[in-house]
Amino acid sequence: MAKRAGVSVGTVSHVLNHPERVASRTLDRVNRAIEELGFVPDRRARALAGGSSALIGFVVLDLTNSYFVDMARGAEEEAQLAGMNVVLANSDLQAAKELTYLHLFDEERVAGILLTPLARRDEQAWRSAGWRGELVILNTEAEPDRCSVVPDDELGGYLAARHLIEVGRRNLVFAGGLFGLAPVANRLRGAERAVAETNGAVRMSTVVAGGLRPHHGREIGRGLAERSPADRPDGVVAAADLLALGIVQSLAGDPTLRIPDDLSVVGYDNNQASWESEIPLTTVAQPGHAIGQTAARLLIDEIRHPATHLHQHVRIDPQLIVRGSSVPASGR
């Protein structure tokens, strides 16, 4: 290629790596030669040789949840400002896929990894010291030797349950699955705190689902409908919007357990499904975009300034959004 453009190999290297150092006429000649020859730079080889990469790997927990999509968008925007790019992988709530992608990104020598982890605290593979590159954890607390960015899930659970109490609900259910996940456990803890503040005026039980998808919610909804009238709750805090959506779907048309008149439902995440539901879901909105931006900013600082970088653990507050699934006619 250098011969085709009539320049030195060093000049070609500058064009590929530091084009701002090359005169415009020379830059045009080399770029023309690149196009004519169909040359594609081997970025992985360059990373191995130079010890650097412009790629960030992002292992996302569940791309069917728009909350994690918002994280990815925030991270991508921040990375692009720094001249870097994000490569996305979906673990799809599977620990084996999470580990596979972590190994893949490590083998490909990406500059660093963003991760929304699945595994239980005592099983998390990312806690091992074997990763070559920097790693920032999103959505789950990390140990002191890693940066992390999390929403305040305990506050979110508190806001959800407090809202139900304020609209007059006294017999609550916390519906969730995957209680080994720290975010779900923290949401439950927050809801329990709101109930405890009533000094016994409100009670709350827990219903365990097999997961956090709509079909798990439909199973819960059917179970609630089958209870005797005296045993039915009047408010549900769902650990995720997709779970809440399934509950609402399963009870559509049931005259004995109408939403929101007989049963108020609050979801979590502000997933796109929450506002597109036939009965729009009241939800706790997660600051996904801000979490992604902040995590990418911390990772890039660690990549570029390892000697001065200080690990941070950032917590961002969620926000309650009230819609039609929680406010009964008497409360409007």
Side-chain angles (χ1 to χ4, degrees):
M1 182 170 52
K3 183 177 180 181
R4 181 70 166 260
V7 298
S8 68
V9 173
T11 298
V12 172
S13 177
H14 279 312
V15 169
L16 293 174
N17 298 292
H18 305 287
E20 72 280 359
R21 301 179 184 176
V22 183
S24 58
R25 289 179 62 185
T26 303
L27 190 64
D28 289 342
R29 282 211 319 274
V30 175
N31 283 332
R32 208 162 36 244
I34 289 172
E35 184 176 346
E36 290 169 357
L37 295 172
F39 173 75
V40 178
D42 187 343
R43 298 190 183 277
R44 183 169 182 268
R46 287 161 59 187
L48 287 169
S52 65
S53 169
L55 293 179
I56 291 171
F58 193 167
V59 185
V60 179
L61 186 63
D62 180 12
L63 280 179
T64 65
N65 188 331
S66 64
Y67 165 53
F68 295 107
V69 177
D70 289 343
M71 278 190 196
R73 286 175 173 153
E76 182 181 47
E77 287 181 14
E78 191 66 28
Q80 287 179 344
L81 290 175
M84 304 184 77
N85 293 291
V86 174
V87 179
L88 200 60
N90 179 30
S91 70
D92 202 26
L93 295 167
Q94 298 178 41
K97 287 184 70 174
E98 175 185 291
L99 189 58
T100 295
Y101 284 127
L102 284 171
H103 281 304
L104 176 63
F105 283 144
D106 197 47
E107 290 169 1
E108 292 298 321
R109 297 297 191 268
V110 297
I113 297 173
L114 299 170
L115 171 66
T116 56
L118 169 67
R120 295 174 185 269
R121 183 168 291 273
D122 58 350
E123 298 171 349
Q124 286 168 334
W126 54 266
R127 292 182 181 277
S128 68
W131 302 114
R132 180 201 58 80
E134 287 73 19
L135 179 70
V136 172
I137 303 302
L138 298 78
N139 207 47
T140 297
E141 296 282 2
E143 293 177 347
D145 61 343
R146 302 283 187 193
C147 286
S148 64
V149 186
V150 299
D152 191 334
D153 282 305
E154 184 171 337
L155 173 61
Y158 176 87
L159 293 174
R162 189 72 227 168
H163 169 67
L164 292 176
I165 294 167
E166 288 173 351
V167 299
R169 300 315 192 182
R170 295 296 178 264
N171 183 13
L172 308 185
V173 161
F174 185 94
L178 304 175
F179 281 97
L181 280 175
V184 176
N186 290 337
R187 292 166 199 175
L188 173 59
R189 188 177 302 114
E192 289 173 335
R193 177 161 60 90
V195 171
E197 289 178 352
T198 70
N199 296 315
V202 175
R203 59 178 178 165
M204 185 176 72
S205 59
T206 301
V207 175
V208 180
L212 300 174
R213 298 288 175 83
H215 67 276
H216 299 118
R218 288 191 287 272
E219 291 173 4
I220 289 176
R222 287 191 292 269
L224 296 179
E226 291 169 358
R227 294 186 182 187
S228 66
D231 189 40
R232 287 177 177 173
D234 56 11
V236 173
V237 176
D241 279 338
L242 296 181
L243 198 64
L245 178 65
I247 293 171
V248 171
Q249 289 172 343
S250 70
L251 297 174
D254 187 331
T256 66
L257 202 52
R258 300 165 299 164
I259 297 174
D261 293 330
D262 302 313
L263 181 70
S264 294
V265 178
V266 179
Y268 208 104
D269 289 337
N270 198 28
N271 192 300
Q272 183 174 345
S274 67
W275 65 81
E276 291 184 346
S277 172
E278 185 173 344
I279 301 175
L281 290 173
T282 294
T283 188
V284 177
Q286 299 251 58
H289 193 274
I291 289 172
Q293 281 185 312
T294 304
R297 191 177 305 127
L298 291 173
L299 181 62
I300 292 165
D301 181 72
E302 186 173 2
I303 292 166
R304 294 186 172 174
H305 309 288
T308 58
H309 175 79
L310 297 175
H311 292 307
Q312 298 182 46
H313 304 282
V314 181
R315 191 178 300 275
I316 302 178
D317 289 349
Q319 178 184 7
L320 179 73
I321 298 178
V322 178
R323 299 192 181 102
S325 69
S326 67
V327 182
S330 59
R332 295 172 191 167

